[in-house]
Amino acid sequence: MQGSSTNDFAVSSKFAGTQNGAVYIYAGTTLTGTASVASSDLTLSGENAERFGEDFAGGTSLFGSADGTLALSDFNDDGNPDLVVGAPKRQDSTSTNRGGAYVFYGPLSASTTSASADVTFSGENTSFNRGVNAGNAVAFIGDMNDDGVTDLL
């Protein structure tokens, strides 16, 4: 899985684990026939009914790219594809349903939870409900400000 030049595949289930949510990642070399979530190579799990995995975006080789050519989703500019996962029901100690998003820097090598993300973005819960349920949609959008690093929407 480390250093593979094969494209990987991810599937999410926002209702896994009583709405905690999960993203299941399969190394491209292991995909044949029928696969189940139990047979995924890695599982990223949400917590506290945050619906982790409502949306996600990432590189095509989440376990690492042997040739290092894929940079479309390289958020931290280290040459490895990264993964962003939305969680629109993310909560904190002061508010419910703020929502948020998590960035996991690749290559990924072990199953983990949203609490172990490399970067966490939180929505705002204001009196006008602006920012509530952030993370409904997430995307790497290329280098919009021309600084040489992939940007995140």
mmCIF file with all atom_site columns, all heavy atoms in Angstrom, residues 24-35:
data_model
loop_
_atom_site.group_PDB
_atom_site.id
_atom_site.type_symbol
_atom_site.label_atom_id
_atom_site.label_alt_id
_atom_site.label_comp_id
_atom_site.label_asym_id
_atom_site.label_entity_id
_atom_site.label_seq_id
_atom_site.pdbx_PDB_ins_code
_atom_site.Cartn_x
_atom_site.Cartn_y
_atom_site.Cartn_z
_atom_site.occupancy
_atom_site.B_iso_or_equiv
_atom_site.pdbx_formal_charge
_atom_site.auth_seq_id
_atom_site.auth_comp_id
_atom_site.auth_asym_id
_atom_site.auth_atom_id
_atom_site.pdbx_PDB_model_num
ATOM 1  N N   . TYR A 1 24 ? -14.250 4.386  3.877  1.00 0.00 ? 24 TYR A N   1
ATOM 2  C CA  . TYR A 1 24 ? -13.553 3.118  3.696  1.00 0.00 ? 24 TYR A CA  1
ATOM 3  C C   . TYR A 1 24 ? -12.654 3.247  2.475  1.00 0.00 ? 24 TYR A C   1
ATOM 4  O O   . TYR A 1 24 ? -13.118 3.605  1.394  1.00 0.00 ? 24 TYR A O   1
ATOM 5  C CB  . TYR A 1 24 ? -14.560 1.981  3.512  1.00 0.00 ? 24 TYR A CB  1
ATOM 6  C CG  . TYR A 1 24 ? -15.573 1.923  4.625  1.00 0.00 ? 24 TYR A CG  1
ATOM 7  C CD1 . TYR A 1 24 ? -16.822 2.523  4.499  1.00 0.00 ? 24 TYR A CD1 1
ATOM 8  C CD2 . TYR A 1 24 ? -15.265 1.292  5.822  1.00 0.00 ? 24 TYR A CD2 1
ATOM 9  C CE1 . TYR A 1 24 ? -17.747 2.484  5.528  1.00 0.00 ? 24 TYR A CE1 1
ATOM 10 C CE2 . TYR A 1 24 ? -16.184 1.247  6.866  1.00 0.00 ? 24 TYR A CE2 1
ATOM 11 C CZ  . TYR A 1 24 ? -17.427 1.850  6.709  1.00 0.00 ? 24 TYR A CZ  1
ATOM 12 O OH  . TYR A 1 24 ? -18.334 1.817  7.739  1.00 0.00 ? 24 TYR A OH  1
ATOM 13 N N   . ILE A 1 25 ? -11.372 2.946  2.645  1.00 0.00 ? 25 ILE A N   1
ATOM 14 C CA  . ILE A 1 25 ? -10.404 3.131  1.569  1.00 0.00 ? 25 ILE A CA  1
ATOM 15 C C   . ILE A 1 25 ? -9.835  1.780  1.158  1.00 0.00 ? 25 ILE A C   1
ATOM 16 O O   . ILE A 1 25 ? -9.452  0.965  2.003  1.00 0.00 ? 25 ILE A O   1
ATOM 17 C CB  . ILE A 1 25 ? -9.273  4.073  2.020  1.00 0.00 ? 25 ILE A CB  1
ATOM 18 C CG1 . ILE A 1 25 ? -9.878  5.431  2.419  1.00 0.00 ? 25 ILE A CG1 1
ATOM 19 C CG2 . ILE A 1 25 ? -8.243  4.250  0.907  1.00 0.00 ? 25 ILE A CG2 1
ATOM 20 C CD1 . ILE A 1 25 ? -8.901  6.385  3.051  1.00 0.00 ? 25 ILE A CD1 1
ATOM 21 N N   . TYR A 1 26 ? -9.793  1.566  -0.150 1.00 0.00 ? 26 TYR A N   1
ATOM 22 C CA  . TYR A 1 26 ? -9.301  0.325  -0.734 1.00 0.00 ? 26 TYR A CA  1
ATOM 23 C C   . TYR A 1 26 ? -8.107  0.645  -1.619 1.00 0.00 ? 26 TYR A C   1
ATOM 24 O O   . TYR A 1 26 ? -8.181  1.538  -2.457 1.00 0.00 ? 26 TYR A O   1
ATOM 25 C CB  . TYR A 1 26 ? -10.391 -0.328 -1.595 1.00 0.00 ? 26 TYR A CB  1
ATOM 26 C CG  . TYR A 1 26 ? -11.659 -0.597 -0.831 1.00 0.00 ? 26 TYR A CG  1
ATOM 27 C CD1 . TYR A 1 26 ? -12.634 0.399  -0.687 1.00 0.00 ? 26 TYR A CD1 1
ATOM 28 C CD2 . TYR A 1 26 ? -11.886 -1.833 -0.251 1.00 0.00 ? 26 TYR A CD2 1
ATOM 29 C CE1 . TYR A 1 26 ? -13.795 0.162  0.024  1.00 0.00 ? 26 TYR A CE1 1
ATOM 30 C CE2 . TYR A 1 26 ? -13.057 -2.079 0.465  1.00 0.00 ? 26 TYR A CE2 1
ATOM 31 C CZ  . TYR A 1 26 ? -14.000 -1.078 0.592  1.00 0.00 ? 26 TYR A CZ  1
ATOM 32 O OH  . TYR A 1 26 ? -15.151 -1.313 1.301  1.00 0.00 ? 26 TYR A OH  1
ATOM 33 N N   . ALA A 1 27 ? -7.016  -0.084 -1.433 1.00 0.00 ? 27 ALA A N   1
ATOM 34 C CA  . ALA A 1 27 ? -5.868  0.054  -2.323 1.00 0.00 ? 27 ALA A CA  1
ATOM 35 C C   . ALA A 1 27 ? -6.277  -0.463 -3.692 1.00 0.00 ? 27 ALA A C   1
ATOM 36 O O   . ALA A 1 27 ? -6.956  -1.492 -3.794 1.00 0.00 ? 27 ALA A O   1
ATOM 37 C CB  . ALA A 1 27 ? -4.678  -0.729 -1.778 1.00 0.00 ? 27 ALA A CB  1
ATOM 38 N N   . GLY A 1 28 ? -5.914  0.255  -4.722 1.00 0.00 ? 28 GLY A N   1
ATOM 39 C CA  . GLY A 1 28 ? -6.306  -0.124 -6.075 1.00 0.00 ? 28 GLY A CA  1
ATOM 40 C C   . GLY A 1 28 ? -5.910  -1.533 -6.459 1.00 0.00 ? 28 GLY A C   1
ATOM 41 O O   . GLY A 1 28 ? -6.590  -2.196 -7.229 1.00 0.00 ? 28 GLY A O   1
ATOM 42 N N   . THR A 1 29 ? -4.826  -2.018 -5.912 1.00 0.00 ? 29 THR A N   1
ATOM 43 C CA  . THR A 1 29 ? -4.358  -3.362 -6.254 1.00 0.00 ? 29 THR A CA  1
ATOM 44 C C   . THR A 1 29 ? -5.222  -4.457 -5.644 1.00 0.00 ? 29 THR A C   1
ATOM 45 O O   . THR A 1 29 ? -5.133  -5.606 -6.061 1.00 0.00 ? 29 THR A O   1
ATOM 46 C CB  . THR A 1 29 ? -2.904  -3.563 -5.781 1.00 0.00 ? 29 THR A CB  1
ATOM 47 O OG1 . THR A 1 29 ? -2.846  -3.316 -4.368 1.00 0.00 ? 29 THR A OG1 1
ATOM 48 C CG2 . THR A 1 29 ? -1.957  -2.625 -6.509 1.00 0.00 ? 29 THR A CG2 1
ATOM 49 N N   . THR A 1 30 ? -6.067  -4.124 -4.661 1.00 0.00 ? 30 THR A N   1
ATOM 50 C CA  . THR A 1 30 ? -6.879  -5.153 -4.003 1.00 0.00 ? 30 THR A CA  1
ATOM 51 C C   . THR A 1 30 ? -8.306  -5.207 -4.534 1.00 0.00 ? 30 THR A C   1
ATOM 52 O O   . THR A 1 30 ? -9.080  -6.042 -4.096 1.00 0.00 ? 30 THR A O   1
ATOM 53 C CB  . THR A 1 30 ? -6.943  -4.927 -2.482 1.00 0.00 ? 30 THR A CB  1
ATOM 54 O OG1 . THR A 1 30 ? -7.581  -3.669 -2.220 1.00 0.00 ? 30 THR A OG1 1
ATOM 55 C CG2 . THR A 1 30 ? -5.555  -4.941 -1.869 1.00 0.00 ? 30 THR A CG2 1
ATOM 56 N N   . LEU A 1 31 ? -8.668  -4.332 -5.448 1.00 0.00 ? 31 LEU A N   1
ATOM 57 C CA  . LEU A 1 31 ? -10.048 -4.274 -5.924 1.00 0.00 ? 31 LEU A CA  1
ATOM 58 C C   . LEU A 1 31 ? -10.306 -5.292 -7.028 1.00 0.00 ? 31 LEU A C   1
ATOM 59 O O   . LEU A 1 31 ? -9.803  -5.173 -8.137 1.00 0.00 ? 31 LEU A O   1
ATOM 60 C CB  . LEU A 1 31 ? -10.377 -2.877 -6.447 1.00 0.00 ? 31 LEU A CB  1
ATOM 61 C CG  . LEU A 1 31 ? -10.522 -1.809 -5.388 1.00 0.00 ? 31 LEU A CG  1
ATOM 62 C CD1 . LEU A 1 31 ? -10.737 -0.453 -6.047 1.00 0.00 ? 31 LEU A CD1 1
ATOM 63 C CD2 . LEU A 1 31 ? -11.664 -2.115 -4.459 1.00 0.00 ? 31 LEU A CD2 1
ATOM 64 N N   . THR A 1 32 ? -11.081 -6.300 -6.689 1.00 0.00 ? 32 THR A N   1
ATOM 65 C CA  . THR A 1 32 ? -11.557 -7.272 -7.666 1.00 0.00 ? 32 THR A CA  1
ATOM 66 C C   . THR A 1 32 ? -12.893 -7.799 -7.174 1.00 0.00 ? 32 THR A C   1
ATOM 67 O O   . THR A 1 32 ? -13.146 -7.859 -5.968 1.00 0.00 ? 32 THR A O   1
ATOM 68 C CB  . THR A 1 32 ? -10.587 -8.468 -7.814 1.00 0.00 ? 32 THR A CB  1
ATOM 69 O OG1 . THR A 1 32 ? -10.435 -9.106 -6.551 1.00 0.00 ? 32 THR A OG1 1
ATOM 70 C CG2 . THR A 1 32 ? -9.226  -8.032 -8.347 1.00 0.00 ? 32 THR A CG2 1
ATOM 71 N N   . GLY A 1 33 ? -13.752 -8.160 -8.091 1.00 0.00 ? 33 GLY A N   1
ATOM 72 C CA  . GLY A 1 33 ? -15.024 -8.758 -7.724 1.00 0.00 ? 33 GLY A CA  1
ATOM 73 C C   . GLY A 1 33 ? -15.873 -7.876 -6.838 1.00 0.00 ? 33 GLY A C   1
ATOM 74 O O   . GLY A 1 33 ? -16.038 -6.696 -7.075 1.00 0.00 ? 33 GLY A O   1
ATOM 75 N N   . THR A 1 34 ? -16.391 -8.438 -5.772 1.00 0.00 ? 34 THR A N   1
ATOM 76 C CA  . THR A 1 34 ? -17.255 -7.744 -4.829 1.00 0.00 ? 34 THR A CA  1
ATOM 77 C C   . THR A 1 34 ? -16.486 -7.466 -3.546 1.00 0.00 ? 34 THR A C   1
ATOM 78 O O   . THR A 1 34 ? -15.809 -8.342 -3.021 1.00 0.00 ? 34 THR A O   1
ATOM 79 C CB  . THR A 1 34 ? -18.487 -8.613 -4.503 1.00 0.00 ? 34 THR A CB  1
ATOM 80 O OG1 . THR A 1 34 ? -19.174 -8.910 -5.720 1.00 0.00 ? 34 THR A OG1 1
ATOM 81 C CG2 . THR A 1 34 ? -19.429 -7.892 -3.568 1.00 0.00 ? 34 THR A CG2 1
ATOM 82 N N   . ALA A 1 35 ? -16.595 -6.237 -3.053 1.00 0.00 ? 35 ALA A N   1
ATOM 83 C CA  . ALA A 1 35 ? -15.903 -5.869 -1.809 1.00 0.00 ? 35 ALA A CA  1
ATOM 84 C C   . ALA A 1 35 ? -16.928 -5.382 -0.790 1.00 0.00 ? 35 ALA A C   1
ATOM 85 O O   . ALA A 1 35 ? -17.964 -4.822 -1.150 1.00 0.00 ? 35 ALA A O   1
ATOM 86 C CB  . ALA A 1 35 ? -14.873 -4.781 -2.080 1.00 0.00 ? 35 ALA A CB  1
#
